[in-house]
Amino acid sequence: MEFDWDAEQQGFRAKLRAFIAENLPADWENLAHGPGTSEQSIFSKKFCGELAKAGLLVPHWPKRWGGSDADAWSQFILAEEMWAVGEPRGGQYMNVNWIGPTLMRFGSEEQQQRYIPPMARGETIWCQGFSEPESGSDLASLRTRAEKDGNIYRINGRKIWTSYAGHADTCFLLARTAPGRGGMSILLLPMNTPGITVREIPSLIGRGDIHEVLFEDVEVPVSALFGTEGQAWEIARSVLALERAGIPRFALAGRMLHRAVTELKKAGRFGNGAIGQAARAYAACEAARLYSCQIIDQRKRGLPPGPDGSVARFATVTAERLATEFIVEHLPEALAGGDVMLLSHHQRAIVAGISSGAAEIQLNLIATEFLRLPREPR
Amino acid sequence: MDFTLNADQATLATAIDSLAARFETVPTNYDGFTLFGRDLEQELENGEFFDIALVPELGPLSAALAVERLSRLPYTAEFALSMLFRPHLSGEWPRPIAIVENGRPGRFVATAKTILVIDGENVGITQPSPDEIEPVESIFAYPMGRLKTGVTITPLPASEAAIVRKWIRVALAAEASGLLHTAIAMTVEYLTVRHQFGRPLGTFQALQHRLAECTVLAGGVRWLALRAAWTADDGDAALAALHAQESATRVIYDVHQMHGGIGVTLEYPLHLWTYRLKALISELGGRGGQASAVAQHCFGSASSY
Ligand SMILES: Cc1cc2nc3c(=O)[nH]c(=O)nc-3n(C[C@H](O)[C@H](O)[C@H](O)COP(=O)(O)OP(=O)(O)OC[C@H]3O[C@@H](n4cnc5c(N)ncnc54)[C@H](O)[C@@H]3O)c2cc1C
């Protein structure tokens, strides 16, 4: 056991920081605001293109698909550095972390050839169509139907909270082909297919982020089926495994804490109350960071994902919560025209315990799978 | 970054485990406030475990791992300061070591050979004679003692005082981590066997979530403590001690609450862990003290993240 970053890892981090310094425009902080806006989405394609050219977009992918076979730590460092400056990759972080690798594992030859190279060049945006108005945490109850009719699937239904849908080229869609958990399938659906309507949902997180997506008699060739019919649950589990550490939110939260503290000190307002809260929040950020490192360490050693992932996720939710509560109480002017970065962090942080699996679901998993407490009767 | 024990660390862990195995259980019919591990202390002494931080292949991280493991036991002994802090003292200072903060009673003071005396910003050190120390009855599950007034104390220079504070913080966090571990494990066990309303208590989600939150806190304390032992960074030590005191405050309440009446009896020994944690909560100025250290070392003028 040791807690040092080796020379190669330090070098990789330095390279990323240099790249970021060179490639983020002067008005980046305004751009970063609103993770799914048109400006951000257009910028993300430019930025990811440059990352790809520098070999920094998908370093942990296999060489065959444009990566350099780097290990899980590179992916972690990459994610930390990107999130800490406000995620200039926009929605493309999903391609890099799980959509690409999932395609490599379950995709047909045709699907891989069609979709992976543009991802590796940083040219394409995807969205994840899982949640529905009636199916949030209870995903297996989803209703969107995909009916096979000759050589097409006909899709009808409704997705909600879909991030980046407004600019996405393709949807990683979860739909029902038969009743029950085993009746769920995944389709790779081009977003310009007739019958799809995307409506942005105004929200506390900022412009352009979440959407409602309507499917009315949307027809796709059967070749859009990803994996086999009924394989969605298995694929979704493997997606979760790839995403088990989740977004390194503690990296941005830690930076924003420092930023707020600097402001408060300048104003002579960093007194004992503020110190206590800032310190607690920072300890929570660092605890979450170490938990995430533990998950990466497990992945690097080829261990199957366990319930530690939920522990790391909940620690991250706590860190975000304490960081935002500190800023709301001690530097409220940041959220009222004072600091666009602190505001944008706040808007992202408030959903830490909701998006990609609610905090309470993580607690259920920690109780029953990590602590092995007896399960609730159903 | 590597979270697996290396060969040396694993060998040490095995040795500590086999030593600890003889002290895992509370004696039958025990109903005291404190379970002092005189034999445990002797075994650690015989095995030269107090000096593992000085062994180059092991170092302070291995010492922190040992402290964490030993603190899971029902028996208490002064090993945390001896293992983590004593190696950093200049000069020969005999163990056991105790801390007296602002004149208050402290853990292990009545049997200490070396005492650190903390008075506000000042840190001094003394080797008390037996008539300068006396035991104090307390509810804390440590043997507590008092240093009489008028004892001659050698002040430590500021640089050494900073080292003292740092390693006390690491020791505190490592010990808290072990204590939290067992307090939570006992609660898992209890919620699994105790039935009310026709089902195990552990099936009630209201309790599941609270205990799950405690678990997340406790594991965070462990990682922060181990990292601080590795980096020997003042800021990391302050973060670890703060998170330890913060988490202990929350966990003590929750685990007692989940035990109902049995948890307040002396025959059910939960207090052997929780009332050690309670003693740790106030050390080095409590959470406020740790928070100012975090502000100083992590939010200093040259702070960078
Ligand atoms: C910003 C944002 C972006 C998102 N992006 C996407 C996306 O791109 N694609 C996508 O498919 N989805 C996305 N989501 C949806 C997200 O995955 C869901 O919001 C999440 O799964 C929770 O579902 P829900 O909102 O329906 O809440 P519900 O499931 O209705 O839960 C409401 C509350 O009840 C609690 N609860 C539910 N079940 C239990 C239980 N068994 N025990 C205890 N408590 C329970 C929850 O924890 C929560 O606190 C996004 C959400 C947000 C906020």
Side-chain angles (χ1 to χ4, degrees):
Chain A
M1 184 182 286
E2 49 107 337
F3 295 86
D4 284 336
W5 298 105
D6 66 28
E8 201 179 314
Q9 291 164 341
Q10 288 178 30
F12 183 61
R13 199 183 284 280
K15 196 168 164 188
L16 284 167
R17 288 190 177 180
F19 180 92
I20 287 166
E22 202 168 304
N23 286 279
L24 284 190
D27 64 343
W28 163 246
E29 294 197 347
N30 287 315
L31 259 183
H33 196 85
T37 57
S38 303
E39 300 90 312
Q40 214 309 0
S41 299
I42 293 162
F43 174 75
S44 85
K45 290 193 175 173
K46 177 163 172 274
F47 184 83
C48 288
E50 294 299 325
L51 267 178
K53 279 186 215 146
L56 296 172
L57 184 65
V58 290
H60 56 285
W61 284 14
K63 289 213 174 73
R64 166 164 185 230
W65 294 115
S68 45
D69 285 316
D71 69 10
W73 288 114
S74 308
Q75 186 185 352
F76 175 78
I77 294 167
L78 176 64
E80 261 202 322
E81 292 302 317
M82 292 297 156
W83 189 261
V85 293
E87 194 50 276
R89 298 174 299 179
Q92 290 196 56
Y93 83 90
M94 297 197 293
N95 305 359
V96 172
N97 286 353
W98 66 266
I99 302 179
T102 305
L103 279 160
M104 291 169 209
R105 176 147 171 219
F106 296 99
S108 66
E109 181 64 27
E110 186 219 319
Q111 288 166 342
Q112 293 180 341
Q113 292 301 344
R114 174 173 174 186
Y115 290 120
I116 299 178
M119 279 192 211
R121 291 192 299 266
E123 288 169 358
T124 182
I125 295 173
W126 284 62
C127 62
Q128 175 192 21
F130 285 12
S131 306
E132 297 184 4
E134 302 302 326
S135 303
S137 301
D138 183 13
L139 196 54
S141 69
L142 70 85
R143 297 176 182 181
T144 295
R145 277 173 301 128
E147 283 162 322
K148 200 165 175 179
D149 183 357
N151 56 2
I152 59 136
Y153 281 102
R154 187 172 297 109
I155 304 163
N156 279 286
R158 187 191 295 222
K159 294 288 169 181
I160 199 165
W161 316 129
T162 324
S163 300
Y164 312 108
H167 293 275
D169 306 299
T170 321
C171 180
F172 194 89
L173 180 76
L174 194 54
R176 183 163 294 296
T177 44
R181 191 180 269 200
M184 296 184 340
S185 306
I186 289 169
L187 294 156
L188 307 182
L189 177 64
M191 288 295 282
N192 59 7
T193 313
I196 302 178
T197 315
V198 177
R199 185 176 72 81
E200 185 185 327
I201 304 172
S203 78
L204 294 171
I205 343 162
R207 284 181 301 131
D209 195 67
I210 49 178
H211 307 79
E212 183 176 33
V213 186
L214 215 74
F215 304 89
E216 290 166 302
D217 290 328
V218 175
E219 294 182 2
V220 275
V222 288
S223 61
L225 178 70
F226 184 63
T228 54
E229 264 194 27
Q231 205 188 358
W233 202 250
E234 181 199 339
I235 296 174
R237 284 187 76 89
S238 109
V239 167
L240 286 178
L242 289 165
E243 278 290 79
R244 61 187 133 165
I247 297 171
R249 292 174 168 276
F250 42 83
L252 182 61
R255 275 203 196 171
M256 293 303 107
L257 271 176
H258 278 87
R259 186 163 169 138
V261 165
T262 306
E263 282 305 304
L264 288 171
K265 279 184 170 177
K266 257 193 264 167
R269 282 161 48 196
F270 196 47
N272 281 342
I275 286 175
Q277 264 175 280
R280 277 172 71 203
Y282 191 45
C285 287
E286 287 297 287
R289 187 173 191 224
L290 288 165
Y291 267 132
S292 292
C293 288
Q294 181 195 6
I295 304 303
I296 303 301
D297 184 71
Q298 290 174 350
R299 186 195 293 178
K300 169 135 194 268
R301 288 189 284 123
L303 296 178
D308 310 73
S310 296
V311 179
R313 286 282 315 281
F314 193 82
T316 301
V317 171
T318 307
E320 279 284 45
R321 174 177 169 182
L322 293 175
T324 49
E325 286 173 354
F326 163 69
I327 294 165
V328 165
E329 182 167 347
H330 295 281
L331 198 63
E333 65 267 39
L335 311 186
D339 185 331
V340 70
M341 248 343 240
L342 287 178
L343 173 60
S344 146
H345 165 251
H346 177 93
Q347 291 179 289
R348 288 167 191 228
I350 50 174
V351 298
I354 301 168
S355 59
S356 49
E360 289 72 17
I361 302 302
Q362 311 302 329
L363 291 177
N364 287 346
L365 294 170
I366 296 167
T368 54
E369 292 183 18
F370 187 85
L371 294 176
R372 304 205 160 276
L373 283 167
R375 285 171 193 278
E376 255 191 311
R378 293 205 184 226
Chain B
M1 288 278 165
D2 184 350
F3 285 54
T4 354
L5 301 186
N6 65 29
D8 294 313
Q9 291 165 340
T11 307
L12 175 73
T14 310
I16 297 269
D17 273 343
S18 69
L19 191 156
R22 301 205 290 286
F23 301 94
E24 291 288 359
T25 42
V26 179
T28 33
N29 299 327
Y30 178 80
D31 63 357
F33 282 96
T34 310
L35 199 53
F36 183 52
R38 216 175 302 279
D39 296 343
L40 170 64
E41 192 158 26
Q42 193 56 53
E43 298 255 359
L44 290 169
E45 185 85 61
N46 296 348
E48 296 180 13
F49 286 106
F50 291 124
D51 295 325
I52 51 183
L54 295 169
V55 179
E57 300 78 53
L58 295 172
L61 172 58
S62 298
L65 284 161
V67 168
E68 200 267 342
R69 173 68 184 87
L70 292 166
S71 303
R72 296 179 182 192
L73 298 173
Y75 289 88
T76 180
E78 194 290 287
F79 47 75
L81 289 176
S82 288
M83 285 185 178
L84 280 163
F85 162 70
R86 187 158 162 267
H88 303 280
L89 273 179
S90 49
E92 265 305 305
W93 296 91
R95 64 163 306 281
I97 301 174
I99 303 167
V100 168
E101 208 175 331
N102 301 323
R104 300 192 306 239
R107 305 182 276 139
F108 306 109
V109 168
T111 47
K113 297 272 170 34
T114 297
I115 293 183
L116 287 159
V117 182
I118 301 177
D119 254 311
E121 289 305 298
N122 303 318
V123 181
I125 195 162
T126 185
Q127 287 184 31
S129 61
D131 59 345
E132 287 173 329
I133 45 187
E134 61 186 359
V136 174
E137 287 285 319
S138 92
I139 195 171
F140 296 119
Y142 286 110
M144 301 290 285
R146 180 186 293 125
L147 182 65
K148 294 183 187 165
T149 47
V151 178
T152 316
I153 291 154
T154 315
L156 292 179
S159 58
E160 207 157 341
I163 295 173
V164 169
R165 288 180 198 279
K166 170 168 75 189
W167 288 103
I168 292 177
R169 289 194 171 102
V170 178
L172 183 155
E175 182 153 358
S177 167
L179 296 169
L180 289 165
H181 175 94
T182 307
I184 290 170
M186 286 179 78
T187 309
V188 169
E189 165 79 21
Y190 187 72
L191 294 185
T192 306
V193 298
R194 170 77 175 166
H195 284 62
Q196 285 294 283
F197 302 98
R199 53 196 254 214
L201 284 178
T203 59
F204 288 98
Q205 200 185 48
L207 303 184
Q208 289 187 343
H209 281 196
R210 274 165 77 180
L211 200 56
E213 289 203 39
C214 290
T215 304
V216 176
L217 290 171
V221 172
R222 180 165 189 269
W223 287 128
L224 288 171
L226 297 179
R227 183 183 62 173
W230 172 265
T231 62
D233 176 77
D234 295 292
D236 286 349
L239 289 168
L242 174 60
H243 203 56
Q245 291 179 329
E246 179 79 23
S247 305
T249 306
R250 161 88 183 266
V251 173
I252 295 166
Y253 178 80
D254 278 355
V255 296
H256 269 288
Q257 200 58 28
M258 288 185 219
H259 275 85
I262 195 77
V264 300
T265 66
L266 292 179
E267 102 199 38
Y268 187 91
L270 182 61
H271 63 284
L272 292 183
W273 290 270
T274 54
Y275 274 75
R276 276 187 274 169
L277 285 167
K278 281 201 183 184
L280 297 181
I281 283 175
S282 63
E283 294 197 352
L284 282 188
R287 287 179 281 177
Q290 309 335 314
S292 354
V294 170
Q296 182 190 345
H297 299 295
C298 303
F299 298 133
S301 46
S303 88
S304 71
Y305 181 79

